[in-house]
Every structure is written in structure tokens, then in C-alpha cells.
Amino acid sequence: MIILGLSNNDYAGACIIKDGLVTAAAHEERFTRVKAHNVFPYHAMNYVLAENEIGLDNVDYIAYGWNAGFDPERYSELYFDRIAEVTQDESEYLPYLHKRLTDEVNHDRPKRAEFESFIRENHLDGKVLYIEHHESHAHAAYLCSPFSRAIAISCDGRGDFQSLTVTQCEGDHFEVLQRESMFDSLGYFYGRITQLLGFKPNCHEDKVTGLASYGDPERLLSLMETLINIDEEGRIRAHFGEGYLPSYHHNYEILERAISGEKPEDVAAAAQRHLENILMKLIRQYVDREHPNNLCLAGGVFGNVKLNQKLRSIDGVENVYILPCMGDDGLPLGAAVCAVHRLNGTRVSMPTMKLGPAVAESDGIIRYLDDKAEFSYLHLSEDQTIIAILLAALHSDLISGIVKGRMEFGARALGNRSVICRAQDSSVNIWLNQRMKRTEFMPFAPMTADIFATDCYVGWQPDQIAAQFITMTYDCTTYFKHRCPAVTDIDGTARPQIITKDSDPFMHQLLVAWEGVSGEPGLINTSLNTGEEPIVNEFCQALSYLEEQVIDLLVFNHDLVVWRSDDQHVAAALQNNSYSNQ
């Protein structure tokens, strides 16, 4: 059976599951080079079909996880009760609720129509499965997890008239324990703080999370509590009014006055603490020491790595799995995963997130380079030689781009489209971000081999596979903070990617070799892209970063090293390295 998952909204993309295995997935932005492009995903769809050597006529079902519509059985009571509350207590705010409802309908209608037009034009009627938005998040997180029993939570700005669901998952059974309306949205709350601080909502929330580490979380906590909170019955309730409308872009005057003269980092810290407090209180309703359970998390709110660490610490939480593509960028995969389960009751196999197009073979890149005098290269024959080259580059504090294998699906580069460098110089967070045209407050993520992880990250265990995908922070040990200060945040945490031999033999070999010659158990890993550009897809895009001096050298596949011909420092470092016998 072949399932094609599609999304054409916030992050357009496509995914194919073939006979229970996720075989290909990609985001449209990687082909069009427009960040978070929400056009119809023709490029991504054509890629996943070609990767499986099939056409649309070979697809059995198409799963769509963005706009399944208003389900009266699920939502009528939720909305009737919530609107009745507002009518009784805050009737002057009813126009705000009306606007939010109409905004959601009006926003989603063109995208649903675009999808339906595609279905009609290609004579695919009868093959479509509409998967409810939060099921595409939460159910998929559980179905992709290693757990047979868990609480699955989806939390984001909005989707199919909800902002949060809590679901008890056991075997093949799902029971929704709690739903919250789109009015009472923690995603919108955090997004509004993002906008308030001058960043782009629904995009730059990670900047707020990073900035929060530098602030006092208690100073403005009471202000955050006036915007949205959790009541004694465990329900999330927004407080509507001129200071807080569940929308990103309006009604900021009161908030701007309230934070006038305050430090941005204190605003960020209060918002972060408040988000953590609400979700910890909510989850404690469903887990405790007497009734422990696993957590499966998805939805854009769980892109917050600091929050995820807090949730892991709750008494009664055994383990946590975060869907690696947790936001709406993961909807094509999530919808397809749910469709497989709906159709035949089975779970999928997803051993990797490296599901996108493969980089060109080195011979083809060399033919291109032979016509480009601005580049020099070495074509080598063994992984071990490439490891020696990279050790020399690291020792000389060079910035290396890694482009190998298939591109990652999701927001994180996991070693196939990555930039790496050593993690000793704390000032790297200033100058490397400048080179990459970024504004960040959180340190870069460390990449660490599993054999060193217990010495580096407090409480890490091999079964915590969330740590393989840069989805959670850990408290760092004194040893790690001393050896790798550049990736240790001011609060003593780091957001690692743990590499195993099975997940990436090449990077595992490099990390072990680097620790052997430097005593440093981690390397900086960040995605190979600048500013608001998508992660690189093709080798020419990677070469442009080399030409612009964003990076110092590029490793393609496992056998090709490229640098600028005029960069004598790189040439000397590679020629005079002392690691050729490592």
C-alpha cells in the first residue's frame, strides 16, 4: 500500500509511506528556496514519487492533515461551552471570538480549495483521507514512538478549530482526554510575545526561548498570567481584551505600555516560565508516581527544547518522545502515518529523518568544479582520510560544511546538511552567527557520540531517543561545560544530538576521533543555511556558501573536500595536518 501525505499550508511538503515504511519526505521550500513556502508542493511531491519510481496513479490514498473541517461531534460542545462562558463573564469580548472563528475559516478556505482542485484535476476522488490536524500531530507522535502506551499531546497555534489535545494512547486505542479551543491557544500566546519582542511570530519563537535564559522569569510573570492561564479544573483559559487578542498581529498597545522600560530578556523569561508552568500543571493531571506514563509530543509549541526538558522532569513521566518534525512542517508525514493506522491498524517504520533528495555523486560535482577556477578540491578514497582532513580543519578552527547522503526532513540538520566546528570558543556564538547572517541567543547545538553522552548530559539514557534529534535540553556536567563551553547555555544546559554508530557511522567515527585528539566530547552542529534561507538541497547551493565565505571548506559525500582557491589558510591546514595516521 502506498500513502502520499501532502500539506500546502504553513510549511508545504510531501511524504510517501510504502508498505509501512517512510521512504521519502521533503519540504517545498528546499526546492523553491523560499523559507516556509506555502504554495502547493509540486516539487516535493514529484520528488517523493520519483524516489519511489511511481506516478500519482500508483498511489492508493492521499492523506491531508491541514484542514479536515469542523466536526460537530468533536467540537460543538467545546465551542458552545466556551462561548457561553464568555457570554456570561466577558460578553464585550464576543466580537473578538467571532473574528477568530471567521479568520480561521477564511484563512484555510483557499488552501483547502487548492488541494481539492488538485484532486479533481488528477482524478483522485475517492482516494483522499482528511486527517484532523491535531491527530496528524499527536497520533503520529505516538505511532512513530517506541512506546506501546503513552499520553500524546498536541499543542500549537491552531488547527481544525483546536489548539491543544491530550490523548491516552494504548496499543491501537486512542481516547481524547482534553481539547482546548483555538481561542485558548498557548501557541498564540508565545507567538504574541515573539511579535511583542520584535521577532516574526510562528517562525522566531526559538529566539524567545534562547533570550529567556538571560532574564528574570519572576519579574513579569504576573503580567503573563493575565493573558492566559490554567484554571483549577485544569482547563486553559485566555483572558480576552485589548491587551490580549488570540491573534499575532493586533492589539499590542496595552502590552507595549506594560513592558515599557523592561528588559526584553525579562519578558522572554516570564513567557517561557509561564508556558512551562501551564503545561506542567496540565500534564500532572494525567501522570503521577502511582500512574507513570510516557509522553509523546508534537505541534509547534514542542519545538521549545527548554520546555521539553521540564516536561521530562515531571514525577511519573517515564520517557519522552518528540516527533522530530514536530511543527506543521511535519504534517505530510503525520497525516500519512495516521492514514496507515486508520486503514490497516499498523504502525510505521521510521528509522531516520534523512528522507530527502541525495546529494549528487562526487564525480558529477568534480566535473562541475573542473570548470570553476575559484575552487580547489581533493578527491579521496577512504572515509579515514576524510576524517583526518576534518580533524585538521577542526584543530585549525575552520568552519566545515558537511553535505552527504539524503537531506533531512524537518527543521533540524542532523549531519547530512550541517555546519560543524569545535566547541571550545564561546565567542563562536557571536562571530559564526554573524557569518551565517543570523540573530540567535541560544548557543549552537552540540553533536556528541553516544559513548560519551552519560559523561556529558545529566540523566541521559540510551533509550531517550528524543536526544538523537535535537528536541530537548539537558543539564550539562561540569566536565562537559569545561570541555565544550561554546555549546553550553548560560543556564548550564545544552540541546544535544546524540550520534550512534547505527544512526550515522561517519559522524560517529569523526566524534570519537576528535575526542581522542582534543579531549572534547562534542562538536558544534548547525544547519547549512544562512538567515532566512532554507537548508541547502543541491551542491551548488552549498558551494555558494563557500564562495561567500560563510564556511571555510566543504565535505561532499565521504570522499570530496572543496575550498576556495584563494584561501591559503585552509590549504596550509589541510596540507600540514598531523592526523593522517589517525
Side-chain angles (χ1 to χ4, degrees):
M1 182 181 292
I2 298 174
I3 309 294
L4 171 64
L6 293 177
S7 176
N8 62 328
N9 215 312
D10 286 350
Y11 285 85
C15 171
I16 278 187
I17 299 178
K18 184 177 181 180
D19 298 330
L21 177 68
V22 182
T23 59
H27 304 296
E28 190 70 4
E29 66 167 18
R30 309 291 167 87
F31 302 92
T32 65
R33 309 310 298 161
V34 178
K35 185 72 171 176
H37 214 178
N38 65 350
V39 296
F40 198 83
Y42 286 109
H43 294 90
M45 180 185 69
N46 289 336
Y47 156 69
V48 298
L49 292 171
E51 182 69 21
N52 286 273
E53 299 180 339
I54 59 173
L56 272 173
D57 56 330
N58 301 116
V59 172
D60 295 298
Y61 292 95
I62 298 173
Y64 188 62
W66 177 257
N67 182 8
F70 189 94
D71 184 337
E73 185 175 336
R74 295 181 179 185
Y75 312 144
S76 292
E77 185 176 350
L78 174 70
Y79 274 84
F80 180 87
D81 290 348
R82 189 65 179 111
I83 292 171
E85 281 183 51
V86 176
T87 301
Q88 181 177 355
D89 300 329
E90 302 174 311
S91 60
E92 69 270 29
Y93 300 136
L94 283 173
Y96 294 159
L97 274 61
H98 180 269
K99 184 178 187 304
R100 278 297 306 120
L101 279 170
T102 56
D103 282 354
E104 173 142 350
V105 172
N106 292 336
H107 181 277
D108 290 349
R109 184 185 290 122
K111 287 299 176 182
R112 172 70 177 258
E114 181 182 60
F115 174 75
E116 291 177 341
S117 176
F118 164 79
I119 295 299
R120 288 192 303 272
E121 291 171 2
N122 291 277
H123 311 291
L124 298 168
D125 304 84
K127 289 189 174 184
V128 178
L129 293 174
Y130 291 98
I131 309 296
E132 191 268 321
H133 179 94
H134 285 271
E135 287 185 5
S136 297
H137 284 322
H139 289 198
Y142 169 69
L143 292 168
C144 292
S145 79
F147 310 138
S148 59
R149 178 174 175 268
I151 298 289
I153 303 173
S154 172
C155 187
D156 61 10
R158 65 163 189 103
D160 281 327
F161 303 93
Q162 299 169 99
S163 61
L164 177 142
T165 61
V166 180
T167 305
Q168 174 68 59
C169 309
E170 189 156 3
D172 294 330
H173 179 69
F174 300 91
E175 179 186 359
V176 177
L177 306 176
Q178 183 171 341
R179 302 182 192 271
E180 298 297 354
S181 74
M182 63 179 172
F183 304 140
D184 305 297
S185 170
L186 291 171
Y188 270 121
F189 158 71
Y190 209 83
R192 278 182 63 81
I193 300 302
T194 303
Q195 173 85 9
L196 183 67
L197 291 171
F199 304 119
K200 184 179 178 180
N202 203 30
C203 182
H204 291 159
E205 279 71 14
D206 58 331
K207 297 181 188 293
V208 177
T209 306
L211 185 60
S213 296
Y214 295 85
D216 177 357
E218 298 297 326
R219 181 171 176 80
L220 295 170
L221 187 59
S222 60
L223 172 64
M224 302 302 161
E225 292 170 347
T226 66
L227 305 180
I228 192 169
N229 218 331
I230 185 168
D231 65 19
E232 293 304 316
E233 296 178 354
R235 303 306 303 271
I236 297 173
R237 290 294 180 260
H239 305 303
F240 310 115
E242 293 183 5
Y244 183 73
L245 174 71
S247 177
Y248 288 139
H249 300 295
H250 305 288
N251 293 66
Y252 280 93
E253 292 82 2
I254 289 178
L255 283 178
E256 288 171 348
R257 289 197 297 270
I259 68 165
S260 178
E262 300 289 351
K263 297 177 180 178
E265 53 265 39
D266 289 344
V267 178
Q272 178 71 21
R273 175 66 58 83
H274 190 44
L275 177 71
E276 293 168 358
N277 288 347
I278 289 174
L279 282 169
M280 291 177 76
K281 183 175 180 180
L282 183 143
I283 289 169
R284 285 188 179 113
Q285 299 175 106
Y286 302 107
V287 299
D288 55 44
R289 288 182 177 179
E290 285 71 40
H291 302 89
N293 213 329
N294 301 297
L295 294 182
C296 294
L297 309 174
V301 167
F302 297 116
N304 190 314
V305 291
K306 298 290 181 75
L307 166 68
N308 297 339
Q309 179 182 6
K310 291 288 187 180
L311 301 185
R312 193 188 74 235
S313 71
I314 295 173
D315 282 346
V317 170
E318 293 182 347
N319 202 343
V320 178
Y321 176 80
I322 302 107
L323 192 66
C325 48
M326 74 289 290
D328 287 350
D329 58 335
L331 287 176
L333 185 147
V337 166
C338 291
V340 169
H341 187 263
R342 181 184 295 185
L343 290 165
N344 58 26
T346 60
R347 300 171 75 158
V348 303
S349 174
M350 192 182 67
T352 181
M353 292 301 294
K354 297 166 184 177
L355 299 165
V359 69
E361 294 291 332
S362 296
D363 288 344
I365 299 174
I366 289 170
R367 286 193 294 272
Y368 177 86
L369 291 172
D370 283 340
D371 293 327
K372 303 289 181 181
E374 62 267 35
F375 298 117
S376 297
Y377 67 85
L378 286 174
H379 191 201
L380 304 164
S381 59
E382 297 180 5
D383 282 1
Q384 194 64 45
T385 309
I386 289 288
I387 296 296
I389 292 289
L390 282 171
L391 291 176
L394 292 166
H395 181 74
S396 298
D397 294 319
L398 299 178
I399 308 302
S400 301
I402 308 291
V403 181
K404 62 184 179 66
R406 296 177 68 180
M407 180 178 61
E408 297 90 342
F409 183 70
R412 313 292 193 209
L414 301 170
N416 279 16
R417 301 293 186 276
S418 288
V419 172
I420 64 168
C421 62
R422 68 184 306 177
Q424 261 288 317
D425 177 12
S426 295
S427 70
V428 69
N429 294 295
I430 297 174
W431 57 260
L432 183 54
N433 275 317
Q434 290 174 342
R435 284 179 68 165
M436 304 192 77
K437 302 174 186 177
R438 299 179 185 173
T439 303
E440 303 291 345
F441 302 100
M442 193 180 297
F444 293 107
M447 180 184 281
T448 302
D450 56 345
I451 62 174
F452 308 130
T454 53
D455 295 326
C456 300
Y457 309 113
V458 177
W460 177 85
Q461 297 293 329
D463 65 348
Q464 295 173 353
I465 61 173
Q468 295 183 22
F469 301 103
I470 322 179
T471 55
M472 184 182 297
T473 52
Y474 285 78
D475 291 337
C476 299
T477 63
T478 301
Y479 159 75
F480 183 81
K481 287 186 280 190
H482 174 69
R483 298 288 180 142
C484 298
V487 287
T488 304
D489 203 353
I490 191 172
D491 63 1
T493 65
R495 46 184 175 135
Q497 180 194 1
I498 305 301
I499 304 289
T500 67
K501 281 186 178 180
D502 289 338
S503 66
D504 193 329
F506 176 79
M507 295 307 298
H508 192 272
Q509 183 184 10
L510 173 63
L511 289 162
V512 172
W514 176 245
E515 194 278 339
V517 299
S518 71
E520 299 170 20
L523 291 172
I524 287 174
N525 170 34
T526 189
S527 56
L528 184 50
N529 63 292
T530 59
E532 294 304 301
E533 292 186 345
I535 295 173
V536 301
N537 185 2
E538 301 175 352
F539 74 87
C540 289
Q541 295 154 11
L543 286 169
S544 71
Y545 291 136
L546 187 61
E547 191 171 17
E548 295 165 11
Q549 301 185 36
V550 175
I551 54 178
D552 298 313
L553 73 155
L554 269 166
V555 171
F556 287 109
N557 302 310
H558 294 163
D559 60 357
L560 180 62
V561 182
V562 185
W563 66 95
R564 296 183 306 280
S565 297
D566 62 355
D567 196 329
Q568 298 304 314
H569 180 56
V570 173
L574 301 187
Q575 183 176 4
N576 298 321
N577 81 80
S578 58
Y579 303 112
S580 57
N581 296 318
Q582 294 295 326

